[in-house]
Amino acid sequence: MKRKLLLLSLLGHIVSCSQSPENEGPIYLDVDKPVEERVEDALARMTLEEKVKMTHAQSKFSSPGVPRLGIPEVWCTDGPHGIRPEVYWDDWDMAGWTNDSCTVFPALTALAATWNEDLSHLYGISIGEEAKYRNKSVLLGPGVNICRFPLLGRNFEYMGEDPYLASRLAVPYVKGVQEKGVAACVKHFAINNNETNRVTTNCNVDERTLHEIYLPAFKAAVQEGDAWAIMGSYNQYKGQWNCHNDLLLNDILKRKWKFDGVVISDWGGVHDTEQAVKNGLDLEMGTWTNGLDRSMSNAYENYFLAKPYYEGIRSGKYGTGELDDKCRRILRMIFRTTMAKERYWGRFTCPEHDQAAYEIGAESIVLLKNDGLLPLQVKKGQKVLVVGENAIKKMSVGGGSSSLKAQHEIVPIEGIRAELEGKAEVLFERGYKGDVTGVYNRVVTGQNLSESRSEDDLIRDAVEAARKADFVIFIGGLNKATFQDCEGRDRVEYNLPYNQDKVIEALAEANDKLVVVNISGSPVGMPWADKVPAILQSWYLGSEAGICLADVLVGKVNPSGKLPFSYPKVYSDCPIRTERQYPGLLEGRTGGVESYDVPIYDIYYDEGIFVGYRWYEAQNIEPQFAFGHGLSYTTFEISEIHSDKESFRKDGQITITVNVKNTGKVAGSEVVQLYIQDMEASVERPKKELKGFHKVYLEPGESKEVNFIIDVSHLSFYDPETHSWKAEPGSFVAHVGSGSDKIRQTLIFGLK
């Protein structure tokens, strides 16, 4: 007897299936059969109407299966750093369930700041288990769009400014999620680098920049991570919407990269039936997003890939080849997830996931500056003043589609008070008033953040308290309100909002033992950086945020995070300076989040490949804090660089080795970073580009060798004339250090 998979419908009834004359039952139910055989068997049994139904949504977050054949629905969920609470069938608002409060993991910018591939895999496994427990087929993440400029509202959901770093962290995340039987849906494909006017943007990017900067993380997720789903983006490329873009989806993704998964539209990102049929889209979600006031009756049947598609096939306008390909991909994903041979088990809001969130969060915090004040040496009976709204504000709610309902969220002041209980008196002053709402899509934090004091009174009260305190910790930054770190709108200023710069400068004058903790998902201006002795960059750290921060402040955790993007001193230092590069950059950015009733804006990526540190180094601009920067409570020495050969051929490799030693008095981790420089390029190339990194833990006095294996891919640039990668013979320089601006060792080698 063949082992069969028993399927139950959502109503709990046993599904009856027609019998195949060749065997005891349908092949697609036989989990021992290869997936492709199961796909073809199921496809052959489906009617035209059933096939078309599979290619479009039936609710806000689900698409139909085939009930007659026992093929289940596909259920998607946001988001990249936690499982979204259940929403109404046809609306974005929370449905009011009482058992859908999740573990909130650190935002992906924080994951990027760990520079730790093992933690990325742990992240994927943990969030995959949470999605599986909630019976989700597809997790809408990770986001791997490049942080092109500091004001991008969704920077906090992405993995920084460098394509190599994003690639290396995306792969283990995807693998971890899918090891739990949930499809990772990598987003947003592609060149989705602004939120304001995101649905009316046509991106003009040269081919080399596209392949060197904006596609590598997607390519790695597909070819190395074996991602089962990709989400298209709202914007256009070369005048075609990216949810049905022939060049991106058919030519690059499916033909060149051999992607065999499902292309899912972003919600409301489909515009035309014919293009959706022919240009690579497989599953349409969210068009006419609430199904009520923005659609005709029976909205889902009138999606572009619904009734118009069915009638187009019946009339002979469209063939069935594209439809069968779409259904094969959807069935393949179902047989990899809900109907897989392996029976995956989920876990939800468990101690193991809290621990994972803690480990990722604690390792992500970046020590930007320290004149000896940290770790805090607090004596019994001393007073520690905490100032700033972000010390008390819950950050899980807000930010757009990644808004979450936390099972618990420990805010910074709670973590600090717990840590210093019995040692010091912890006082609080607000200092400034920012966002007091605490509500998004009917998810509420339950906090009362109302404030009646004026701005001047808030500053005065904070300064008076600071003069009497032994230590002052300012905890501010951005939040996840509109025009901050939030989907749908970009930021409108580079410096801190709510007059926080004024607060920090006043505190610095009142007390010279001031620690500034910036919580954000994006770079911010720090005009006061030279006036304060210690600066920590924290992030949206999720459920365990307060404990993570407290443990770093007092030295229980030695900070080891590194910046995943550069912090320019002023916005005018950035590569994105003109309205041609970003319409409305300087003023008048009024385009709606989902409004198509405004003109298409052409955005020109005139900076080309010079994004982030590539730009600052090419222009000889010193940033406030460089890409890859991050200090420690100990010190490290990188020395003794050497290679196993002086040059190598294109079909070979070269190994470069350095020694790293902990020269301080406490244990800690260093991220040893490798950058490559092409000395003889025939085209313009950056001064150096990240091509390797290793995070190394060392006890005091301990040394380890770190090896970097370099092959021709690390030396190549994209040649638009041949539409391929090219490595030119000549001399290259390996730069090894602890940050893009902290190179400790160099070595010249050759490519024959």
Side-chain angles (χ1 to χ4, degrees):
M1 285 288 288
K2 294 185 175 68
R3 185 159 56 91
K4 304 297 181 184
L5 175 65
L6 183 63
L7 293 177
L8 299 179
S9 72
L10 292 178
L11 297 177
H13 298 297
I14 297 177
V15 176
S16 61
C17 302
S18 58
Q19 296 294 301
S20 168
E22 291 84 10
N23 51 52
E24 299 173 10
I27 292 174
Y28 68 87
L29 286 180
D30 189 342
V31 295
D32 288 324
K33 290 290 186 181
V35 167
E36 296 307 312
E37 285 190 34
R38 298 175 68 194
V39 167
E40 294 303 320
D41 179 54
L43 186 67
R45 298 169 188 270
M46 292 168 60
T47 67
L48 175 62
E49 185 176 10
E50 288 169 340
K51 291 178 182 179
V52 172
K53 280 184 176 294
M54 286 194 77
T55 66
H56 65 270
Q58 65 174 2
S59 74
K60 183 65 62 186
F61 278 102
S62 71
S63 61
V66 186
R68 180 179 64 85
L69 299 178
I71 297 173
E73 301 163 326
V74 172
W75 280 89
C76 303
T77 181
D78 288 313
H81 56 272
I83 307 307
R84 186 172 183 157
E86 298 298 331
V87 302
Y88 290 116
W89 183 264
D90 210 24
D91 192 279
W92 289 115
D93 281 345
M94 186 180 69
W97 289 25
T98 58
N99 60 349
D100 57 347
S101 299
C102 68
T103 302
V104 180
F105 297 95
L108 292 189
T109 317
L111 175 61
T114 69
W115 291 58
N116 188 327
E117 294 172 79
D118 291 336
L119 281 186
S120 184
H121 188 240
L122 174 65
Y123 196 128
I125 288 174
S126 302
I127 197 171
E129 288 179 339
E130 297 240 336
K132 190 63 182 177
Y133 185 90
R134 291 267 297 279
N135 292 318
K136 306 304 180 185
S137 316
V138 181
L139 177 75
L140 303 175
V144 299
N145 294 103
I146 294 298
C147 300
R148 182 182 177 225
F149 69 124
L151 303 183
L152 173 61
R154 231 164 166 178
N155 276 338
F156 74 101
E157 288 191 56
Y158 301 145
M159 297 186 183
E161 70 186 24
D162 183 78
Y164 183 85
L165 176 64
S167 298
R168 301 282 42 89
L169 294 175
V171 170
Y173 180 110
V174 168
K175 287 183 175 180
V177 170
Q178 295 184 168
E179 284 170 17
K180 297 303 174 180
V182 176
C185 183
V186 188
K187 62 183 189 181
H188 308 86
F189 193 65
I191 46 178
N192 181 197
N193 306 109
N194 57 283
E195 285 297 299
T196 297
N197 297 328
R198 62 180 179 173
V199 300
T200 54
T201 294
N202 180 43
C203 297
N204 294 273
V205 185
D206 68 88
E207 188 176 352
R208 181 183 171 197
T209 298
L210 177 70
H211 284 271
E212 288 193 19
I213 303 296
Y214 296 103
L215 293 187
F218 290 101
K219 184 178 182 181
V222 168
Q223 294 191 334
E224 298 176 56
D226 192 27
W228 296 339
I230 292 284
M231 181 189 290
S233 59
Y234 282 124
N235 53 297
Q236 293 184 359
Y237 173 59
K238 291 187 178 294
Q240 278 191 347
W241 298 104
N242 285 1
C243 285
H244 35 74
N245 188 297
D246 186 50
L247 177 59
L248 289 177
L249 301 180
N250 283 335
D251 186 45
I252 294 175
L253 180 64
K254 292 184 175 180
R255 295 192 191 104
K256 292 182 179 178
W257 295 355
K258 309 299 183 185
F259 175 66
D260 68 355
V262 179
V263 174
I264 301 175
S265 76
D266 205 340
W267 270 233
V270 184
H271 300 262
D272 179 85
T273 296
E274 184 168 357
Q275 290 188 32
V277 170
K278 297 181 178 180
N279 289 354
L281 179 66
D282 300 312
L283 178 56
E284 178 185 5
M285 300 295 295
T287 306
W288 303 308
T289 50
N290 69 3
L292 299 171
D293 59 351
R294 295 184 60 189
S295 74
M296 60 190 75
S297 62
N298 196 16
Y300 299 107
E301 285 301 311
N302 288 286
Y303 272 26
F304 293 106
L305 286 183
K307 185 178 179 181
Y309 190 15
Y310 178 79
E311 291 178 346
I313 293 175
R314 292 294 301 271
S315 69
K317 182 177 181 180
Y318 310 120
T320 58
E322 297 96 344
L323 177 61
D324 285 349
D325 181 66
K326 298 177 196 300
C327 289
R328 283 189 180 96
R329 292 172 179 274
I330 296 168
L331 288 167
R332 188 178 294 126
M333 183 176 70
I334 291 171
F335 292 147
R336 287 168 166 171
T337 56
T338 315
M339 296 181 72
K341 177 179 180 179
E342 298 81 5
R343 305 311 302 147
Y344 301 101
W345 299 98
R347 293 190 294 179
F348 203 62
T349 59
C350 58
E352 292 84 357
H353 292 171
D354 291 341
Q355 181 63 26
Y358 169 79
E359 291 178 15
I360 296 162
E363 198 163 311
S364 73
I365 295 174
V366 183
L367 180 59
L368 295 177
K369 180 183 179 181
N370 188 21
D371 290 345
L373 181 57
L374 292 175
L376 294 176
Q377 303 296 320
V378 180
K379 298 178 181 178
K380 191 173 181 64
Q382 290 185 319
K383 293 183 178 180
V384 176
L385 174 67
V386 177
V387 180
E389 183 176 285
N390 281 5
I392 60 173
K393 182 176 176 60
K394 292 184 177 181
M395 295 291 191
S396 57
V397 173
S401 60
S402 63
S403 180
L404 299 168
K405 184 168 69 172
Q407 192 269 343
H408 71 270
E409 182 177 352
I410 301 170
V411 297
I413 197 166
E414 292 173 334
I416 293 169
R417 281 179 170 154
E419 177 58 39
L420 297 181
E421 183 179 5
K423 302 176 187 176
E425 183 181 3
V426 178
L427 307 172
F428 175 73
E429 283 291 340
R430 186 154 180 168
Y432 69 93
K433 183 176 74 173
D435 173 48
V436 301
T437 56
V439 179
Y440 192 90
N441 287 143
R442 293 188 183 176
V443 181
V444 298
T445 64
Q447 291 184 295
N448 181 3
L449 296 179
S450 60
E451 177 59 65
S452 60
R453 286 174 291 176
S454 68
E455 178 183 301
D456 289 341
D457 287 343
L458 286 166
I459 296 177
R460 185 194 65 241
D461 292 348
V463 168
E464 287 180 1
R467 292 194 180 107
K468 302 173 185 177
D470 296 287
F471 299 94
V472 180
I473 306 170
F474 176 84
I475 304 178
L478 307 179
N479 53 49
K480 294 165 73 178
T482 304
F483 296 115
Q484 298 295 310
D485 280 321
C486 186
E487 178 183 2
R489 299 281 185 164
D490 296 322
R491 292 163 57 197
V492 294
E493 59 182 333
Y494 180 53
N495 282 2
L496 293 177
Y498 316 124
N499 240 345
Q500 290 177 76
D501 292 342
K502 184 178 179 181
V503 180
I504 294 170
E505 297 209 11
L507 292 173
E509 289 184 7
N511 194 313
D512 61 2
K513 292 186 177 179
L514 170 64
V515 180
V516 174
V517 178
N518 179 65
I519 296 176
S520 69
S522 303
V524 300
M526 297 182 177
W528 34 262
D530 293 337
K531 300 177 183 179
V532 300
I535 306 172
L536 282 173
Q537 173 62 43
S538 189
W539 316 93
Y540 305 117
L541 297 184
S543 293
E544 304 295 306
I547 299 177
C548 297
L549 179 58
D551 284 357
V552 169
L553 285 168
V554 302
K556 280 188 174 180
V557 170
N558 190 347
S560 62
K562 300 284 185 176
L563 290 180
F565 34 54
S566 312
Y567 281 56
K569 292 180 179 178
V570 294
Y571 185 82
S572 58
D573 286 344
C574 294
I576 314 305
R577 300 179 172 188
T578 70
E579 292 195 28
R580 172 183 163 89
Q581 292 172 291
Y582 176 41
L585 174 64
L586 303 179
E587 60 182 355
R589 289 180 292 153
T590 58
V593 177
E594 306 296 337
S595 173
Y596 295 94
D597 299 326
V598 293
I600 297 295
Y601 290 89
D602 276 301
I603 288 183
Y604 295 88
Y605 286 51
D606 293 330
E607 73 282 1
I609 61 172
F610 294 97
V611 176
Y613 69 93
R614 292 165 169 82
W615 167 264
Y616 301 113
E617 293 185 352
Q619 299 296 319
N620 294 314
I621 297 173
E622 182 182 1
Q624 187 76 63
F625 298 107
F627 172 80
H629 170 74
L631 305 176
S632 171
Y633 295 153
T634 189
T635 55
F636 299 95
E637 178 184 79
I638 298 173
S639 62
E640 301 176 21
I641 191 168
H642 60 278
S643 61
D644 62 342
K645 60 190 75 169
E646 293 183 355
S647 62
F648 68 105
R649 299 184 183 277
K650 291 185 178 182
D651 58 353
Q653 296 176 331
I654 186 171
T655 300
I656 293 177
T657 302
V658 297
N659 184 75
V660 57
K661 181 178 181 180
N662 183 343
T663 56
K665 297 180 180 180
V666 295
S669 296
E670 178 64 293
V671 179
V672 185
Q673 303 165 36
L674 168 71
Y675 297 83
I676 298 293
Q677 178 183 5
D678 188 342
M679 298 285 286
E680 303 175 36
S682 63
V683 297
E684 187 177 27
R685 301 195 71 176
K687 288 187 176 180
K688 59 180 182 287
E689 297 179 279
L690 181 71
K691 294 298 179 183
F693 61 88
H694 292 288
K695 195 160 197 174
V696 183
Y697 177 83
L698 297 168
E699 294 289 340
E702 185 182 7
S703 298
K704 287 183 181 177
E705 277 194 347
V706 174
N707 295 313
F708 295 98
I709 299 175
I710 301 171
D711 61 33
V712 68
S713 68
H714 297 97
L715 312 181
S716 301
F717 62 89
Y718 189 85
D719 181 8
E721 292 187 4
T722 61
H723 309 291
S724 62
W725 291 88
K726 182 177 182 180
E728 297 176 327
S731 297
F732 294 82
V733 181
H735 301 272
V736 181
S738 56
S740 62
D741 64 338
K742 292 180 174 61
I743 301 304
R744 306 306 185 201
Q745 297 285 302
T746 61
L747 181 143
I748 298 175
F749 64 94
L751 177 67
K752 296 179 180 178

